[in-house]
Amino acid sequence: MKSYPLYKVLRFLFFTGLILAAVLFNASKPRVMILHSYHPDYPWTRDIDVSIQRSVDRWSSYAVTWYYMDTKKHSDEKWLRRTSIGARRAIDRFEPDVLIAVDDLAQKFVAKHYVDTDGMSIVFAGVNGQVGPYGYEQANNVTGIYERKPLTAVKEMIQNFENGRDPAYAPASVLYLMDPSPSMARGKGFFENFDWAPLNFAGAVVARDFDDWKRIVGEAKSSGINYLLIANYRKLPRSAKDPVPPEPSEVMAWTEANSKIPVIGLNVFNVEDGGTIAVGASPFEQGAVAADMTEKILEQGVQANEIPMVINRQFVVAINKTAFEGRYPKLPQIYETYARATATYIEESR
Amino acid sequence: MREPKKVDSEGWLKALPLKTLAWCFAVTIPVVLYAYLSHLQVDRHDALFATIVCATLLMWVFSLLADFIPALVALLAMLLFGLAPESVVLSGFSSSGFLLALSIMGLGVVIVESGLARRYTLILLRHLPANTFSHQLSVFFTGLLFTPVVPTINGRASVVGPVVNHVVEDWDAQTKSSSSTMLYTTGLDSIHYLAPCFLTAAPANLMIFAMLPAQEQQAYHFLFWTFAASVTGLCLLLFYFLCSAAFFHKAYRRVEIPHGAIEKNLAELGPMSANERIALGSIVLLAVGVVTAPLHKIEIHFVAFIILCLLLFMGSMQRQSFIAKIDWAFLVLLASMIGLLSTMNYLGLDLLISSKLTWLGSYMRQSFALFVLALAGVMLLVRLFIPLNQAILIFAAALIPIASNAGIAPWVIGFVILIFAETAFFAYQSPYIFLFREITNKVTREERKVRVFHGMLVLCKLLAVYISIPFWSKIGVL
């Protein structure tokens, strides 16, 4: 029988040992997949990623991957089917120990299929509605953080605007203007059930398209509305004949230029789009809480359903200084200070 | 695996006055473009990037230099002008596509150099039934067999070319005269016709892979690429033999095979050498590594890299082969292109282009079948003037971001580009044709017949893509 030199055998054993150790290391390290409903450039998604990334930087021994379903830019039935298949295929291939599913569509089309799957926990974030339809309430592998619009903070801001107004006048009236997207519709009930007193909530109206949006904004003041609340307009068709939405910056620029009453955004990115002021749920909190829950599951061995589902508590204020000053009523100094602290105080002119 | 010799860094523009004129264009047009963009008050970084890309494209289109040189100079310019951080501009060198390409090329070198391919050829010839159809099948499937593991068409040409030579050499005069064009065509097609169906079959495939968004790259690793391409591949295969049967029907006949010479050659090779065993073991290891990825959880490009390191570590690939046989020029081109695209994305130009060309994205979505037809037409036309890799690069860089933004799987667009870009009627269009001709120079053939047959294959390709559309919809690719 042919004999091999000893050094060759040792060389082979060295390499084989190295690879086996690497295989064992890889096969045993915790695996986390972050599944986003939207695309990475969408400001909300981007900021959630920023806060998750802070934890990922510490997770040197975890395998982490991202999947973006891109349902903000495309939401037709064909796309939803395709992106859901792609996401599920990615999950099945990656086999994460923890699936962080962000925003409603990720739950609806993908994550709910992994309820009570052995060896996989689901941490949801950014859910506007209820998690019952996804089967999360009874599941033993799900926890997460809801995303509720910070209406208390919005109400307080409007009250601050109203400070000094003659109480003999009728209370300030607030209108919530929405685009026709399903995620907006899901949150509508939350606005209607909120205790707006002493303000008057004039209701939530859906603009069919940008033309309809312009009409509602233009008529708001004459309809007795004092404040307009807006959250999103990315699913707003340009017109009845043109389904392609205008650029967000175009919608915001038109709205700011033509609204005769203050417009308050309910997402921080409204100001990035060209708005004047916004109070939004903190995407950083959504990401940080989801990452903390993930760490708890992986490092302390806690079962997901033993971690209580939580509602977001933090919000972020964004102000565009140039647009704000002189056009809007004064606010206490703390708003500016807070916005500066969260790097959401924009000083350059639009 | 390197280009053998003078396989065209000069291109179709050889006459000196024309070349001088082309250089004049390459120098002046970018300067004029920069001045114009500055006049329009376009952002300085965007204007510089457009100027650099314009200069690179001109050098490619006119084939003024070997293809990797303009790309490398573009990287240099982007670094010197500070268009993006070094980590972005040089990201191609640390990308998974680069690592995969390097590793598979290393494996390809060992397979060809170890003599494993030669042994396989002889064993094949020994067992072939004595008719031209079985010879055609054997030649075609030899090319196909080496397609996923020898990642350059030139590399496969050096495997399949000698098989064609051996087979034709042993034919009688009558068979040579009636069938050698058919076998030559089959040999040539076997090394490139189904290349788009395997990720690792050609540098261009790896280039497309490297241009895909990160999550698409994760999805289209090895097996899923082949799975998604499977219906197209099977149709292409079926149509190929149907067309061949119709076009070369007079070439099919019985022949006598002299087994003595084959046995003698096999005896001269002796038992399998250690390098052959390691080459074979590496192919098996790669296959096992890919199939068992869900168990070991190691990314596929790392599996390939492990194999390259194993080959180097065990001394199966010597330093000299590592330096001389791996196509470093292509690797530099690949890394430079990834860096160029990363810089484009960093500057936000991909979104700008996509937003300006939303009509094209909508067209892709609403009339994909017509888009494929238009793309095929334009691709065939452009390929008459622009070399293979450059044409693929330009089309992929322009269309993949638009597809991605329009909600079309970028892979489908890349795959269709690959299918039609690989069509060549003349040798100058694809360097591997020169090499294959050179290796099989003793095999007589009628070039006109080869061209007509390749014209028929264009229709087969179109048909195969159209048949695949429902399959792509079914598996969630389209």
Side-chain angles (χ1 to χ4, degrees), chain A residues 144-159:
Chain A
I145 174 169
Y146 291 95
E147 180 216 339
R148 299 285 184 251
K149 298 290 181 211
L151 297 188
T152 305
V154 172
K155 187 168 91 172
E156 285 171 5
M157 179 185 273
I158 294 173
Q159 284 177 299

Side-chain angles (χ1 to χ4, degrees), chain A residues 46-67:
Chain A
R46 178 198 64 202
D47 290 344
I48 289 177
D49 273 347
V50 166
S51 65
I52 292 178
Q53 188 60 49
R54 286 180 195 136
S55 297
V56 170
D57 290 343
R58 292 197 311 272
W59 296 346
S60 57
S61 60
Y62 294 7
V64 184
T65 190
W66 274 260
Y67 194 95

Side-chain angles (χ1 to χ4, degrees), chain B residues 88-333:
Chain B
V88 174
V89 178
L90 301 177
S91 58
F93 290 94
S94 61
S95 64
S96 58
F98 181 83
L99 207 57
L100 189 64
L102 169 66
S103 307
I104 297 294
M105 280 181 171
L107 176 60
V109 168
V110 173
I111 290 169
V112 174
E113 285 219 315
S114 67
L116 186 67
R118 167 85 177 133
R119 183 182 298 279
Y120 158 81
T121 305
L122 290 170
I123 293 171
L124 189 75
L125 287 172
R126 184 167 63 177
H127 293 99
L128 281 181
N131 60 66
T132 51
F133 177 62
S134 75
H135 290 183
Q136 184 193 26
L137 276 183
S138 308
V139 165
F140 192 88
F141 283 98
T142 298
L144 186 57
L145 184 70
F146 286 93
T147 294
V149 286
V150 176
T152 63
I153 301 179
N154 285 339
R156 291 196 293 279
S158 60
V159 173
V160 176
V163 181
V164 173
N165 274 343
H166 282 301
V167 173
V168 175
E169 223 171 79
D170 294 336
W171 280 352
D172 55 82
Q174 181 75 28
T175 312
K176 272 181 188 166
S177 119
S178 66
S179 310
S180 55
T181 300
M182 179 265 281
L183 202 72
Y184 166 82
T185 312
T186 303
L188 182 62
D189 293 336
S190 76
I191 60 176
H192 73 91
Y193 182 62
L194 290 173
C197 300
F198 302 94
L199 168 61
T200 50
N205 300 12
L206 293 163
M207 215 150 56
I208 293 286
F209 175 76
M211 287 183 188
L212 297 177
Q215 73 189 32
E216 297 276 324
Q217 283 190 13
Q218 287 169 14
Y220 289 94
H221 252 315
F222 277 79
L223 291 182
F224 194 70
W225 179 299
T226 305
F227 174 64
S230 58
V231 170
T232 318
L234 288 172
C235 289
L236 286 175
L237 199 61
L238 178 70
F239 296 156
Y240 186 87
F241 283 100
L242 287 177
C243 283
S244 177
F247 192 74
F248 293 114
H249 62 278
K250 288 181 183 162
Y252 295 103
R253 51 192 292 139
R254 295 189 63 79
V255 285
E256 293 298 321
I257 296 286
H259 287 282
I262 295 165
E263 295 297 340
K264 191 180 158 212
N265 286 336
L266 266 174
E268 277 171 9
L269 276 181
M272 271 182 101
S273 68
N275 275 355
E276 282 177 89
R277 283 203 189 98
I278 288 177
L280 188 61
S282 299
I283 296 171
V284 173
L285 200 60
L286 180 66
V288 171
V290 169
V291 173
T292 59
L295 298 177
H296 57 66
K297 316 278 188 191
I298 296 177
E299 298 281 348
I300 303 297
H301 57 281
F302 289 146
V303 172
F305 192 46
I306 286 172
I307 290 166
L308 175 68
C309 289
L310 176 69
L311 293 171
L312 289 165
F313 202 80
M314 296 307 294
S316 300
M317 183 191 274
Q318 298 299 320
R319 184 174 183 275
Q320 203 50 40
S321 299
F322 188 71
I323 294 168
K325 302 285 182 180
I326 287 180
D327 192 344
W328 291 104
F330 168 73
L331 289 172
V332 166
L333 173 69

Side-chain angles (χ1 to χ4, degrees), chain A residues 2 4 8-12 14-16 19 22-23 26-29 31 33 41 65-70 73-76 78-79 81-83 85-86 89-90 92-95 244 247, chain B residues 215-216 218-220 224 227 274 277 293-299 305-307 309-315 351 355 362 365 403-410 472-478:
Chain A
K2 190 178 174 183
Y4 287 94
K8 280 195 174 179
V9 177
L10 288 174
R11 195 159 66 170
F12 181 74
F14 174 86
F15 193 84
T16 310
I19 299 307
V23 168
N26 270 281
S28 61
K29 70 181 175 186
R31 306 169 73 74
M33 176 180 260
D41 302 326
T65 190
W66 274 260
Y67 194 95
Y68 298 91
M69 293 174 67
D70 201 1
K73 284 192 283 187
H74 314 290
S75 54
D76 55 283
K78 196 176 169 190
W79 173 263
R81 181 181 162 275
R82 182 161 98 69
T83 196
I85 292 173
R89 192 178 284 135
D92 294 342
R93 189 178 54 245
F94 190 71
E95 295 181 326
V244 179
E247 286 296 311
Chain B
Q215 73 189 32
E216 297 276 324
Q218 287 169 14
Y220 289 94
F224 194 70
F227 174 64
R277 283 203 189 98
L295 298 177
H296 57 66
K297 316 278 188 191
I298 296 177
E299 298 281 348
F305 192 46
I306 286 172
I307 290 166
C309 289
L310 176 69
L311 293 171
L312 289 165
F313 202 80
M314 296 307 294
L351 297 176
S355 65
S362 306
R365 288 202 79 180
S404 188
N405 218 33
I408 294 275
W472 288 333
S473 296
K474 173 100 179 147
I475 62 168
V477 164
L478 198 62

Side-chain angles (χ1 to χ4, degrees), chain B residues 27-46:
Chain B
V27 171
T28 52
I29 292 176
V31 175
V32 170
L33 177 70
Y34 182 74
Y36 179 66
L37 292 176
S38 301
H39 172 71
L40 294 178
Q41 296 186 322
V42 171
D43 178 81
R44 187 174 153 271
H45 279 175
D46 294 355

Side-chain angles (χ1 to χ4, degrees), chain A residues 39-258:
Chain A
H39 53 284
D41 302 326
Y42 184 53
W44 168 257
T45 305
R46 178 198 64 202
D47 290 344
I48 289 177
D49 273 347
V50 166
S51 65
I52 292 178
Q53 188 60 49
R54 286 180 195 136
S55 297
V56 170
D57 290 343
R58 292 197 311 272
W59 296 346
S60 57
S61 60
Y62 294 7
V64 184
T65 190
W66 274 260
Y67 194 95
Y68 298 91
M69 293 174 67
D70 201 1
T71 59
K72 189 60 83 177
K73 284 192 283 187
H74 314 290
S75 54
D76 55 283
E77 200 178 321
K78 196 176 169 190
W79 173 263
L80 291 174
R81 181 181 162 275
R82 182 161 98 69
T83 196
S84 306
I85 292 173
R88 290 181 67 180
R89 192 178 284 135
I91 293 169
D92 294 342
R93 189 178 54 245
F94 190 71
E95 295 181 326
D97 297 294
V98 177
L99 174 68
I100 300 178
V102 185
D103 291 311
D104 291 82
L105 294 181
Q107 326 296 333
K108 182 178 175 184
F109 290 105
V110 181
K112 73 171 187 184
H113 295 288
Y114 297 91
V115 163
D116 290 339
T117 297
D118 283 343
M120 189 190 299
S121 300
I122 299 169
V123 176
F124 68 81
V127 171
N128 299 120
Q130 297 303 315
V131 294
Y134 313 130
Y136 289 176
E137 282 169 354
Q138 311 302 324
N140 61 26
N141 69 335
V142 182
T143 186
I145 174 169
Y146 291 95
E147 180 216 339
R148 299 285 184 251
K149 298 290 181 211
L151 297 188
T152 305
V154 172
K155 187 168 91 172
E156 285 171 5
M157 179 185 273
I158 294 173
Q159 284 177 299
N160 275 304
F161 281 143
E162 292 289 298
N163 203 5
R165 178 174 154 143
D166 189 343
Y169 284 99
S173 197
V174 179
L175 180 73
Y176 178 37
L177 176 57
M178 305 183 290
D179 71 13
S181 67
S183 62
M184 292 285 103
R186 272 192 297 275
K188 188 181 170 196
F190 182 61
F191 281 76
E192 289 168 342
N193 297 327
F194 180 73
D195 177 14
W196 288 94
L199 306 177
N200 170 47
F201 184 62
V205 291
V206 178
R208 292 186 306 277
D209 49 43
F210 193 24
D211 290 340
D212 197 30
W213 177 283
K214 287 175 178 173
R215 183 188 60 76
I216 295 167
V217 171
E219 293 173 358
K221 191 176 183 187
S222 58
S223 308
I225 305 299
N226 302 101
Y227 295 93
L228 199 57
L229 304 182
I230 55 170
N232 218 334
Y233 24 77
R234 281 165 171 76
K235 308 299 291 182
L236 189 68
R238 182 172 286 281
S239 65
K241 289 178 183 167
D242 182 0
V244 179
E247 286 296 311
S249 55
E250 184 186 341
V251 179
M252 273 316 302
W254 188 94
T255 308
E256 283 292 336
N258 293 282

